[in-house]
Amino acid sequence: MNATLAPELPRALHWLNAPATTLHEQRGRIVALAFVNGASAWCAQRLNDLAVLQARYVGRLHALAIHVPRFDSEREPQQALKRLRRQGNTLPAAHDADWVAWQRFGVDAWPTVLLIDGEGQLRHRIVGADGLAELERAVATLCDGLHSPPEDDLRGFREAHPEPRMPLSFPTGLVATPDRLFVADSGHHRVLECNHQGRVIRQFGMGTADFADGELNHAAFRRPHGLALVRESLYVADTGNHALRRINLATSTVDTLCGNGRAGEPVEGIITVARNVPLNQPQSVVVNNNQVFISMAGDNRIWSYDLGSRELRPRAGSGQLDMRDGSGVMAAFAQPAGLAAVHQTLYVCDAVGSAVRSMQLRADTVQTLVGQGTWVFGSDDGPRETARLQHPQAIALSPDAPVMWIADSGNGSLRTLRLGGGELTTVALPRRLHGPAGVAVAAGAVWIAETDAHDVLRYDIATGALSHVPIDE
């Protein structure tokens, strides 16, 4: 594109984790201005790319995230910051609640990265999150002619008002059994096995972000998310490593079924070498009839991995971010998150679609149960045709009743949907939940990952009591 002088950042921007700055103050450095949304998996990947490049071109490249809300819940600055931190963002971030900067810079899609040279000229506009190579080529060209950065610019960015140190950090996926609770402690890059009173029995993963198989104390995860338990195998959607992992509970070891640590286009077929196959932000897993079903938030499709033949194949979804019913590639999802399965039916929590979908596994036919489109959301209870969700993150089925429990993250609530044509209902809780992103049902209780509060809760189905689970306190 032809170079033009970049407009200045609006004064109305609310800086979330860093002192306010202007583009004029950044003269002499390359600025990557990233317009992102905290609910978007594509934006999370682009922010990760920029963090890698900023470390590679330290002092010469300065990346700034401009968060633009999609959902009503994201208009609140603290909620926006929580969403960014949940995805691992460590860049300075500003909140554009009223889309002022979005309009001033002529942005029309998430994510969009604007590269501004050392003289304040807008040199590149890169839309989407396809690959790191194009972005790095543009950054490298602009950085090539810069002088050596001053020593102050070589110091790493330290966030203002960081998250408090707590036993859990952004917990997400949960699995509950009659006597155990498994927690994906995403921000601490580990998986915990606990009893129902919260005592940690085993920790899987070193607690640092890495990608390593082996014994429980030497294995490593990166922002693990969804969990699924079958006998002595705990399957993990290792979102940050773009991998499907397995924990053998009998031997306390971790191995990789597929995924190479980098986001990429999955390849259909028999997997002979697990780390030769890329995945794209696996979010949740569930096992049905010896198949591990994977919701792939990065490519908006549902995949399956056959535990016998080791075949990976797409089951439904066109790859486009959309909501469309149909079979196989004729269907479309809007960032599928949570999964649940019973008999020959897979249920999908469609996060950006604010929807719950069903998928009949015999023909991979997708039908919408609740949800009216990617820009239609709310908190209304009632019949499925008029009920509304807002950015739900997880679902779970009661083992002894046709009831689905929904972690309605955007509304900060726990919802129920009675299967077989029933209505959507909000559970009466004593308080609003803070960004719930995990839910499981066992032992007469619903276990809730209150993700933004770094907590796990127990809701007693019979009494309605809500209590804190003191994990490793």
Side-chain angles (χ1 to χ4, degrees), residues 111-176:
T112 293
V113 177
L114 306 179
L115 292 180
I116 301 167
D117 68 18
E119 297 178 353
Q121 299 286 321
L122 179 56
R123 299 289 296 275
H124 296 278
R125 182 183 295 262
I126 301 173
V127 181
D130 291 336
L132 182 59
E134 178 191 0
L135 181 59
E136 180 161 17
R137 279 194 299 270
V139 168
T141 300
L142 293 177
C143 287
D144 191 44
L146 291 182
H147 299 294
S148 298
E151 186 175 336
D152 284 350
D153 281 0
L154 298 178
R155 298 195 183 105
F157 165 67
R158 299 185 66 179
E159 284 196 288
H161 312 296
E163 294 293 322
R165 293 181 178 272
M166 298 181 70
L168 298 176
S169 175
F170 295 112
T172 50
L174 298 176
V175 165

Side-chain angles (χ1 to χ4, degrees), residues 260-332:
N260 61 10
R262 299 181 300 277
E265 185 68 23
V267 179
E268 181 178 2
I270 304 296
I271 296 176
T272 55
V273 180
R275 300 230 184 169
N276 283 352
V277 178
L279 300 181
N280 198 334
Q281 297 194 64
Q283 196 86 1
S284 184
V285 290
V286 69
V287 182
N288 185 276
N289 292 330
N290 215 39
Q291 304 270 331
V292 182
F293 290 88
I294 311 164
S295 63
M296 211 81 75
D299 81 345
N300 297 298
R301 289 188 283 181
I302 304 299
W303 292 73
S304 66
Y305 175 89
D306 191 293
L307 292 168
S309 66
R310 297 187 295 178
E311 180 184 11
L312 181 70
R313 66 187 184 99
R315 301 297 295 264
S318 66
Q320 297 175 329
L321 192 148
D322 200 355
M323 274 183 59
R324 188 170 62 247
D325 291 347
S327 296
V329 297
M330 300 304 295

Side-chain angles (χ1 to χ4, degrees), residues 127-415:
V127 181
D130 291 336
L132 182 59
E134 178 191 0
L135 181 59
E136 180 161 17
R137 279 194 299 270
V139 168
T141 300
L142 293 177
C143 287
D144 191 44
L146 291 182
H147 299 294
S148 298
E151 186 175 336
D152 284 350
D153 281 0
L154 298 178
R155 298 195 183 105
F157 165 67
R158 299 185 66 179
E159 284 196 288
H161 312 296
E163 294 293 322
R165 293 181 178 272
M166 298 181 70
L168 298 176
S169 175
F170 295 112
T172 50
L174 298 176
V175 165
T177 73
D179 63 348
R180 290 288 186 268
L181 182 66
F182 296 89
V183 182
D185 189 10
S186 182
H188 288 146
H189 313 287
R190 60 182 184 169
V191 176
L192 302 177
E193 179 185 0
C194 313
N195 64 18
H196 284 185
Q197 289 69 48
R199 183 172 66 86
V200 175
I201 299 168
R202 281 185 290 185
Q203 171 181 314
F204 300 94
M206 295 181 291
T208 55
D210 209 338
F211 190 10
D213 292 338
E215 297 180 357
L216 77 169
N217 293 324
H218 298 98
F221 299 91
R222 188 184 303 271
R223 294 194 307 280
H225 201 283
L227 303 175
L229 178 65
V230 179
R231 294 180 290 276
E232 292 297 308
S233 293
L234 183 66
Y235 297 92
V236 182
D238 193 3
T239 306
N241 280 322
H242 308 282
L244 174 63
R245 315 288 296 281
R246 176 174 56 191
I247 299 173
N248 187 317
L249 298 177
T251 62
S252 297
T253 56
V254 178
D255 68 335
T256 299
L257 298 180
C258 56
N260 61 10
R262 299 181 300 277
E265 185 68 23
V267 179
E268 181 178 2
I270 304 296
I271 296 176
T272 55
V273 180
R275 300 230 184 169
N276 283 352
V277 178
L279 300 181
N280 198 334
Q281 297 194 64
Q283 196 86 1
S284 184
V285 290
V286 69
V287 182
N288 185 276
N289 292 330
N290 215 39
Q291 304 270 331
V292 182
F293 290 88
I294 311 164
S295 63
M296 211 81 75
D299 81 345
N300 297 298
R301 289 188 283 181
I302 304 299
W303 292 73
S304 66
Y305 175 89
D306 191 293
L307 292 168
S309 66
R310 297 187 295 178
E311 180 184 11
L312 181 70
R313 66 187 184 99
R315 301 297 295 264
S318 66
Q320 297 175 329
L321 192 148
D322 200 355
M323 274 183 59
R324 188 170 62 247
D325 291 347
S327 296
V329 297
M330 300 304 295
F333 294 97
Q335 203 171 299
L339 296 176
V342 60
H343 304 308
Q344 287 296 312
T345 302
L346 183 73
Y347 294 98
V348 182
C349 174
D350 220 3
V352 172
S354 296
V356 174
R357 324 281 295 279
S358 69
M359 178 174 148
Q360 300 303 319
L361 298 179
R362 287 188 176 89
D364 294 338
T365 303
V366 177
Q367 180 182 7
T368 300
L369 304 183
V370 176
Q372 284 74 35
T374 56
W375 288 96
V376 181
F377 51 85
S379 59
D380 297 339
D381 287 339
R384 300 179 181 197
E385 298 77 18
T386 57
R388 300 285 189 271
L389 297 162
Q390 183 178 186
H391 196 225
Q393 293 286 292
I395 54 177
L397 300 176
S398 285
D400 54 356
V403 175
M404 176 187 294
W405 300 83
I406 306 168
D408 192 357
S409 187
N411 288 314
S413 60
L414 180 66
R415 316 283 293 275

Side-chain angles (χ1 to χ4, degrees), residues 2-80:
N2 294 327
T4 58
L5 185 66
E8 188 50 85
L9 295 172
R11 292 180 179 272
L13 287 178
H14 182 127
W15 288 88
L16 298 171
N17 61 349
T21 189
T22 66
L23 293 180
H24 187 268
E25 291 172 346
Q26 303 301 325
R27 292 288 176 89
R29 295 188 288 189
I30 307 305
V31 174
L33 200 60
F35 286 84
V36 297
N37 175 259
S40 167
W42 292 345
C43 290
Q45 183 57 42
R46 189 48 99 199
L47 289 175
N48 180 68
D49 293 341
L50 287 172
V52 170
L53 291 178
Q54 184 165 266
R56 195 169 293 165
Y57 297 93
V58 62
R60 291 179 290 171
L61 175 66
H62 191 50
L64 302 173
I66 308 297
H67 180 269
V68 185
R70 179 189 188 102
F71 296 101
D72 288 344
S73 59
E74 296 175 316
R75 292 180 60 82
E76 198 277 313
Q78 191 61 26
Q79 179 103 334

